[in-house]
Amino acid sequence: MTPEGMTPERMTPEGMTPEGMTPEGMTPEGMTPEGMTPEGMTPEGMTPEGMTAQEKTLPQREFMQYDVVIVGAGPSGLAAAIRLKQLAAENSAELSVCVLEKGSEVGAHILSGAVLEPRALNELIPDWQARGAPLDTPAREDRFVFLTATRAIRLPTPPQMHNAGNFIISLGNLCRWLGQQAEALGVEIYPGFAAAEVLYREDGSVQGVATGDLGIGRDGEPSARHQPGMELRARQTLFAEGCRGSLTKALFERFALRQSADPQTYGLGIKELWEVVPAQSQPGAIVHTVGWPLDSATYGGSFLYHLSGNQVAVGFVIGLDYSNPYLSPFEEFQRFKTHPAIRPTFEGGRRIAYGARALSEGGLQSLPRLTFPGGMLVGDSAGFLNVPKIKGTHTAMKSGMTAAEAVFAHLQGGGGTEVLGYPERLRHTWVWDELQRVRNIRPAFRWGLFGGIAYAALDTYLLRGKAPWTLHHHADHTALRKAADCTPIEYPKPDGKVSFDRLSSVFISNTNHEEDQRSHLTLLDASVPIQVNLALYDAPEQRYCPAGVYEIVRDEQGRNPRLQINAQNCVHCKTCDIKDPTQNIHWVVPEGGGGPNYPNM
Ligand SMILES: Cc1cc2nc3c(=O)[nH]c(=O)nc-3n(C[C@H](O)[C@H](O)[C@H](O)COP(=O)(O)OP(=O)(O)OC[C@H]3O[C@@H](n4cnc5c(N)ncnc54)[C@H](O)[C@@H]3O)c2cc1C
Ligand code: SF4
């Protein structure tokens, strides 16, 4: 199925190294300079006409051709890659599949709870146990708790939160293992390479992606270490970037994919991994809380997942439709751990890791059109998370597997450029059924915590997910009220035992970015942070960013405020891209390999 004479094997992918995709002096067959930029095939913004004189003298990009390119080595992208290769093997077909991952290794940017529902994994790799998949903590007990400032009241566990048969895992480690399974099947995975740009053919269809140039300095000029990006061209490109993918966002616009969908709505999840004292360890225990420290109008809650080896994953998720600009998700999380019913779990323990990541919470009514000429969206890029379950891994994997099946059939049949079979197949899977049933639960929390819980009970027990109506979503960035209409929130100082500050937290996320590069946090209008955000909302980016990237700094007299962006601290959670009230912040990928280095989140 590989186009004649263009097999990746002949293009020496072994030559791809983190320093540069091809070693110096290597001109693989099929990579003639003419072939690199065929007329009319240069990506948007990169036309030779638009280049500066200096850029014209720089080395041009090379390209590699695959049958399928997948952007993102999360569970959806890896499940798609594995399924494609399985199908190729079953049908004795040749199929080249490449996965790009912006993290320094597979798993480095993966952050999840995580309780895994193994349904998709059972389908994809039925003998996962024999193959040593890292699912070693079976779920044993579920607790659902309502917190007041001083009390913890146990409530009946909602049916969606029953976890019998599930496993407490590190999703990063599961992805590392999935990556090994994919490579064993012949998938080429390139960690440390961020897809920075979508490539289009002359007919407007997606032709693949290009990785970003390395060595473009802060001043926007190529530095001594400049290396051009690489074009990865494909017959079909799968975007598996996870929640709020930066290329996915461009595709939404280019193909008007969100035209008939509700706005996507999001949560921000902040997580820590702890080693607790043995007496506090309860492997298999799963605790969820709602209530304190959030007020009842703010959607959110915590999770505590007890792993084996005296480890506890603790996290807090806050709906990004919160309205008080003074709210700080990070400090709400820190305060949560000081609750008298929660603190003992962590006292005497050691915090091992920290990180944050946004989640797509809109569900079925927020799903965009899933396909476009030349490509498609899978996993959280599209938004398949089941909110009442707080689980998106099984649905992300199943969407990737379904996309793979549709792509394989499509490429064999040689149909047009858009794989319409993917959404069609997906509608007949359990993913659709699952999301259909719970579609009204998240939007019902617009009536506050108690209204939401009451509606969820009605919807689940009485209507059984078959309500003849669908509740709708609004965009999160429109939810912020003006600071003048809100009360500032006083957060307690961190005690350094169970609660901490942002900087010491970011330190243990092992975040690193090459210093001499353009900021990947771009502002459409540089005046907005002060004239709009500070003036009207008291600069909420100072509080919603869980990594302390945004700071308002003033001169010695306390005047002339300006926004300082500490981009090197960014943990790639994407919250600023979502929550900025005028959508002025635009997150783009930094140089590949930059960002957090999560060990086992
Ligand atoms: C705090 C929290 C708790 C959660 N708890 C659970 C849980 O308990 N159970 C559960 O099932 N689900 C849970 N989820 C949801 C689950 O983690 C996601 O649904 C799932 O990870 C989605 O998989 P994905 O492959 O779509 O995206 P992701 O897992 O986000 O993976 C995307 C990958 O693509 C890479 N990438 C992105 N853009 C680019 C680019 N341009 N170039 C190259 N690489 C790129 C990223 O670095 C990343 O590795 C939780 C999520 C969060 C944030
Ligand atoms: S800068 Fe944006 S994406 Fe980076 S950590 Fe802060 S909020 Fe998240």
Side-chain angles (χ1 to χ4, degrees), residues 466-489:
K466 294 195 174 126
W469 57 81
T470 295
L471 302 177
H472 292 282
H473 295 293
H474 54 268
D476 292 334
H477 71 273
T478 61
L480 268 192
R481 285 186 291 143
K482 303 273 164 34
D485 302 331
C486 299
T487 314
I489 305 174

Side-chain angles (χ1 to χ4, degrees), residues 5 9 23 48 59 64 151 188-189 191 204 223-224 241 310 367-368 383 398 411 419 433 467 473 544 589 599:
E9 290 73 27
M64 294 170 75
R151 295 182 59 207
E188 294 169 25
I189 305 181
S223 66
E241 296 180 283
N310 298 327
L367 282 180
K398 182 66 179 175
L411 293 184
V419 186
D433 181 51
H473 295 293
Y544 62 59
V589 285

Side-chain angles (χ1 to χ4, degrees), residues 397-470:
M397 288 179 70
K398 182 66 179 175
S399 71
M401 290 152 64
T402 309
E405 285 157 13
V407 166
F408 187 79
H410 183 88
L411 293 184
Q412 287 220 314
T417 55
E418 187 163 351
V419 186
L420 295 167
Y422 164 45
E424 187 49 39
R425 282 169 190 250
L426 202 66
R427 269 183 216 105
H428 296 102
T429 64
W430 48 260
V431 170
W432 209 263
D433 181 51
E434 210 182 293
L435 294 185
Q436 173 78 20
R437 281 169 194 272
V438 299
R439 73 192 182 285
N440 284 328
I441 293 184
R442 173 64 181 92
F445 281 81
R446 74 178 64 155
W447 298 309
L449 175 64
F450 303 108
I453 289 181
Y455 181 88
L458 174 89
D459 197 273
T460 307
Y461 293 110
L462 235 80
L463 300 169
R464 297 183 180 275
K466 294 195 174 126
W469 57 81
T470 295

Side-chain angles (χ1 to χ4, degrees), residues 228-240:
M230 168 73 93
E231 295 191 359
L232 285 302
R233 299 181 187 170
R235 298 168 75 189
Q236 284 292 323
T237 307
L238 272 59
F239 293 84

Side-chain angles (χ1 to χ4, degrees), residues 71-76 100-102 109-115 171 193-195 240-242 269 303 305 357 359 379-380 385 390-393 396 589:
V71 180
S76 63
L100 285 182
E101 169 53 50
K102 68 179 164 63
H109 286 185
I110 297 291
L111 182 142
S112 190
V115 178
L171 186 59
F193 289 101
E241 296 180 283
F303 61 85
Y305 301 152
R357 181 78 172 100
L359 305 73
D380 274 6
L385 185 119
I390 334 172
K391 291 186 184 67
T393 305
V589 285

